[in-house]
Amino acid sequence: MMSALVCVARIGAAHGVRGAVKLWTFTEDPFAISRYGPLSTKDGRRQFEIAAVREAKDHLVATFKGVATRDEAERLNGIELYVAREKLPATDEDEYYHTDLIGLACVTTDGDALGRVVAIHNFGAGDIIEIAPLKGPTMLLPFSNAVVPEVDIKGGRVVIALPQEIEGDRDEDPSASRPGEGRDP
């Protein structure tokens, strides 16, 4: 069985003329990326070995062995870099790698089947768990202790405490005026 891969970085635009690239890492310690050994594309067809890495404003600047020109670096823009799951450090309690959560069964706090975890997202305001229910559209819920009170990776499931009300689903009072209504021009 092939080991699960974890995306640890994404290559950005070329930086300078000597083959360096901007590198966005998804690791707690950005410099850990250079300790995992060769990084590969998701399909494993290409491997990259970091030759040098330094800190920049909100990313790293890296050079890879065998990449010496700006043209070569520009062709790498957008490539996601992966490592085998077992090369990563163990997680603390209540910390999880996304790859460990994807595919887990979701059950309600009453034990009823809900669906499966299909993704974990972060759009800047905290982690979001995406669940494909048994029927209907996928659900996006906050990945918080209140909504996901239990994660049982060994048992293959997460418990979901469905929110009582989802913002935006409230019935509005039809007599309430909306902005811009009822005013003279």
Side-chain angles (χ1 to χ4, degrees):
M1 182 177 124
M2 194 173 136
S3 170
L5 294 176
V6 177
C7 183
V8 292
R10 182 178 43 82
I11 300 173
H15 182 86
V17 295
R18 294 194 175 102
V21 294
K22 294 178 179 180
L23 188 66
W24 276 268
T25 63
F26 310 128
T27 54
E28 189 172 17
D29 170 11
F31 289 98
I33 194 91
S34 60
R35 297 191 292 268
Y36 297 138
L39 307 169
S40 70
T41 54
K42 190 170 191 172
D43 63 11
R45 291 186 180 162
R46 297 181 69 187
Q47 289 207 333
F48 299 88
E49 198 170 333
I50 293 177
V53 65
R54 65 179 171 82
E55 195 167 9
K57 183 178 174 185
D58 61 350
H59 58 278
L60 298 179
V61 173
T63 53
F64 296 106
K65 291 182 180 174
V67 178
T69 69
R70 182 174 182 87
D71 284 347
E72 290 171 334
E74 284 174 348
R75 287 194 289 271
L76 303 179
N77 191 356
I79 292 176
E80 291 182 331
L81 300 174
Y82 292 79
V83 296
R85 168 69 175 84
E86 65 265 7
K87 287 187 176 185
L88 298 173
T91 56
D92 291 334
E93 188 176 339
D94 291 337
E95 281 187 337
Y96 313 98
Y97 289 114
H98 293 184
T99 192
D100 294 339
L101 299 170
I102 295 170
L104 294 182
C106 299
V107 297
T108 66
T109 52
D110 294 331
D112 298 329
L114 191 59
R116 294 217 167 268
V117 177
V118 292
I120 306 293
H121 305 284
N122 190 316
F123 303 111
D127 288 333
I128 304 287
I129 187 168
E130 183 175 356
I131 299 167
L134 303 173
K135 60 180 188 239
T138 61
M139 294 184 283
L140 297 174
L141 299 169
F143 189 66
S144 64
N145 289 334
V147 176
V148 188
E150 183 184 339
V151 175
D152 181 3
I153 291 176
K154 286 187 172 78
R157 70 183 198 135
V158 295
V159 175
I160 304 294
L162 290 171
Q164 296 303 307
E165 183 177 276
I166 297 175
E167 196 172 327
D169 284 353
R170 293 186 282 258
D171 290 316
E172 291 187 31
D173 179 0
S175 65
S177 67
R178 291 188 172 87
E181 286 184 2
R183 284 190 252 157
D184 291 331

